[in-house]
């Protein structure tokens, strides 16, 4: 089911990017520079993938304190990404770019907003995983949780989703950077 959802997301973003390319030749198109804070948010989302990778390695090797630390760090970085994206929207608005102002600006809001929705969904699942990890502080409870196949699958699927959303942002960001510049 997760693979189907990810394929649907790829399809939606592909359609939007193709529409962007078609719409770009319109007479009313005025390029809008990307908010500079989007560069920082990209670094943050890459760091969150790294911290989640470390958390998963710690989980598999029964280093549960390290697992909780890096899972919490990933949650923090994911939340920071959301804050930075909102600040990027604020930068656009301070330049007078709004959803309805110009097609170029509209695409910036739509693409980053749709991606942000995917991140928020991921943050919900990350928060649940973090809360479960914090409920199982004693080693025996954490170990029993870690060897339970449904729990292992849940963490594997969440990690796959998070890395997918990170790669999706990198693709969208690089596309926008190429077409808009900073």
């Amino acid at each position: 089911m997760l693979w189907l959802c990810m394929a649907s997301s790829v399809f939606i973003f592909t359609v939007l990017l193709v529409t962007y390319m078609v719409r770009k030749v319109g007479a009313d198109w005025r390029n809008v520079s990307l908010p500079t804070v989007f560069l920082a948010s990209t670094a943050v989302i890459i760091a969150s993938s790294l911290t989640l990778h470390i958390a998963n390695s710690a989980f598999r090797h029964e280093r549960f304190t390290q697992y909780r630390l890096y899972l919490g760090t990933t949650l923090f970085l994911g939340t920071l990404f959301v804050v930075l994206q909102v600040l990027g929207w604020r930068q656009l608005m301070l330049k007078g770019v709004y959803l309805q102002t110009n097609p170029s600006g509209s695409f910036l809001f739509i693409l980053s907003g749709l991606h942000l929705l995917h991140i928020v969904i991921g943050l919900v699942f990350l928060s649940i995983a973090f809360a479960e990890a914090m409920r199982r502080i004693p080693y025996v409870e954490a170990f029993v949780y870690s060897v339970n196949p449904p729990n292992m699958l849940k963490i594997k699927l969440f990690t796959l989703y998070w890395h997918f959303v990170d790669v999706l942002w990198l693709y969208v960001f690089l596309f926008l950077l190429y077409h808009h510049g900073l």
Side-chain angles (χ1 to χ4, degrees), residues 33-41 44 79-95 97 109 112 116:
S33 298
L34 280 178
T36 53
V37 75
F38 277 14
L39 189 59
S41 70
V44 165
T79 304
L80 180 59
F81 177 84
V82 171
V83 169
L84 291 172
Q85 291 292 105
V86 170
L87 289 174
W89 292 345
R90 184 173 181 274
Q91 279 183 357
L92 287 171
M93 289 182 226
L94 289 174
K95 288 187 209 176
V97 178
F109 281 107
S112 61
L116 198 60

Side-chain angles (χ1 to χ4, degrees), residues 3-128:
W3 285 105
L4 183 60
C5 290
M6 291 187 317
S8 298
S9 292
V10 167
F11 179 75
I12 290 168
F13 277 93
T14 301
V15 167
L16 283 170
L17 294 177
V18 167
T19 305
Y20 174 100
M21 295 303 293
V22 169
R23 186 65 180 89
K24 188 176 181 176
V25 297
D28 60 343
W29 189 274
R30 292 181 326 274
N31 258 351
V32 174
S33 298
L34 280 178
T36 53
V37 75
F38 277 14
L39 189 59
S41 70
T42 302
V44 165
I45 204 72
I46 291 169
S48 77
S49 261
L50 178 63
T51 58
L52 185 58
H53 176 75
I54 294 168
N56 273 293
S57 177
F59 183 79
R60 284 190 311 276
H61 293 98
E62 300 171 21
R63 295 187 310 262
F64 301 116
T65 301
Q66 186 182 25
Y67 167 68
R68 286 187 289 275
L69 173 69
Y70 280 97
L71 198 60
T73 303
T74 305
L75 180 59
F76 170 77
L77 291 171
T79 304
L80 180 59
F81 177 84
V82 171
V83 169
L84 291 172
Q85 291 292 105
V86 170
L87 289 174
W89 292 345
R90 184 173 181 274
Q91 279 183 357
L92 287 171
M93 289 182 226
L94 289 174
K95 288 187 209 176
V97 178
Y98 296 93
L99 194 57
Q100 71 280 7
T101 312
N102 157 2
S104 175
S106 298
F107 273 101
L108 285 177
F109 281 107
I110 291 168
L111 288 166
S112 61
L114 185 57
H115 180 265
L116 198 60
L117 174 65
H118 284 76
I119 288 289
V120 169
I121 291 168
L123 286 173
V124 168
F125 289 105
L126 181 58
S127 297
I128 292 168

